[in-house]
Amino acid sequence: CKFVEASGGIVKRDKKYLWIYRNGIWDLPKGKLENLENFETAALREVREECGLDSSLKIEKLIYISFHTYTENSKKNLKRTHWYEMSYSGSENVFPQAEEGIEKVEWLSLEESIAKSNESFKSIKEVWNSLLI
């Protein structure tokens, strides 16, 4: 089993939360750490890249660390993801990173976000619930 380190966030802007749609499911932006990168730097980079955000994206605090397994190219992986509560004060315009398979990026209300978390991966629901506690 390969161990993978990743980082991502729940981004809030004006009472709305940022979601991505990839591979037929609503998800939160996240990605793997690059060589010598720390979790906070990776979270900011990944969210900016996947959603087209600018430098006004800020980390508020670490809210959760999730673990999940997946198979890629017939190899099993264990992924540890550090999740951050983030704030964004830039433009409402967002741009999906198509080369990562992201079809949509949307700002959703609290109620819509709770609904999407219930339809998403179990680990995403856990991350979302950690924000609400």
Side-chain angles (χ1 to χ4, degrees):
C1 191
K2 181 181 173 188
F3 188 64
V4 178
E5 298 275 29
S7 213
I10 295 180
V11 183
K12 186 176 181 183
R13 181 188 185 282
D14 297 333
K15 298 183 183 178
K16 292 202 172 183
Y17 298 89
L18 193 61
W19 286 84
I20 62 172
Y21 188 77
R22 173 178 24 209
N23 300 325
I25 195 161
W26 286 98
D27 200 352
L28 296 170
K30 66 187 170 309
K32 297 174 187 168
L33 272 66
E34 293 181 352
N35 193 29
L36 302 176
E37 193 173 41
N38 67 41
F39 288 101
E40 289 186 355
T41 302
L44 290 167
R45 178 186 52 76
E46 283 291 342
V47 173
R48 286 178 184 141
E49 288 175 358
E50 290 190 351
C51 303
L53 303 183
D54 62 32
S55 61
S56 62
L57 179 67
K58 305 288 183 226
I59 289 178
E60 300 299 327
K61 64 183 177 183
L62 177 68
I63 56 171
Y64 196 74
I65 298 174
S66 66
F67 290 87
H68 76 275
T69 58
Y70 65 98
T71 303
E72 185 175 61
N73 301 324
S74 302
K75 295 184 179 175
K76 292 197 181 270
N77 297 289
L78 172 62
K79 183 187 275 188
R80 175 175 68 175
T81 306
H82 284 221
W83 292 98
Y84 295 91
E85 180 179 349
M86 299 176 154
S87 60
Y88 184 67
S89 58
S91 170
E92 190 174 300
N93 297 330
V94 288
F95 307 97
Q97 187 181 23
E99 60 268 21
E100 287 291 326
I102 301 169
E103 299 171 47
K104 295 187 250 183
V105 179
E106 293 185 13
W107 293 104
L108 302 175
S109 69
L110 176 62
E111 295 77 19
E112 292 169 315
S113 294
I114 292 169
K116 296 299 182 207
S117 75
N118 289 327
E119 299 166 11
S120 190
F121 301 105
K122 181 182 176 198
S123 61
I124 296 301
K125 184 175 181 175
E126 290 171 0
V127 172
W128 183 256
N129 287 343
S130 75
L131 180 71
L132 301 177
I133 294 173

